Amino acid sequence: MLRAVIRSFHVATTVPMVLNTSFNVMGRPMVHDVEDIDVGVFLTSDIDVLDLEDALFREEADRPGVR
């Protein structure tokens, strides 16, 4: 499955790799698994996309109060 994601990303962007920077934000507890995820961190961070198991969450650029 990961290979298919990378291949699709490569086709769409011409970049042949995906970088996982994890879901750790300075000053917040480290995220070890799905149960640790704090949606508030995602909503107030510079994270643009969160791929969580079978769901994909994207930041909306025009969301009030978010950079």
Side-chain angles (χ1 to χ4, degrees):
M1 184 169 135
L2 181 58
R3 183 182 206 134
V5 169
I6 294 169
R7 186 173 288 134
S8 296
F9 185 78
H10 184 201
V11 168
T13 67
T14 72
V15 177
M17 67 183 82
V18 175
L19 177 64
N20 175 7
T21 60
S22 73
F23 192 92
N24 300 320
V25 177
M26 187 174 11
R28 305 289 284 189
M30 184 173 283
V31 174
H32 294 286
D33 52 36
V34 175
E35 288 76 26
D36 290 341
I37 292 176
D38 179 352
V39 176
V41 172
F42 172 66
L43 295 174
T44 59
S45 72
D46 288 331
I47 299 170
D48 297 321
V49 178
L50 175 61
D51 184 354
L52 180 60
E53 294 181 340
D54 293 331
L56 184 67
F57 302 90
R58 298 175 191 251
E59 176 196 13
E60 295 178 22
D62 59 351
R63 190 171 54 214
V66 176
R67 292 175 266 150

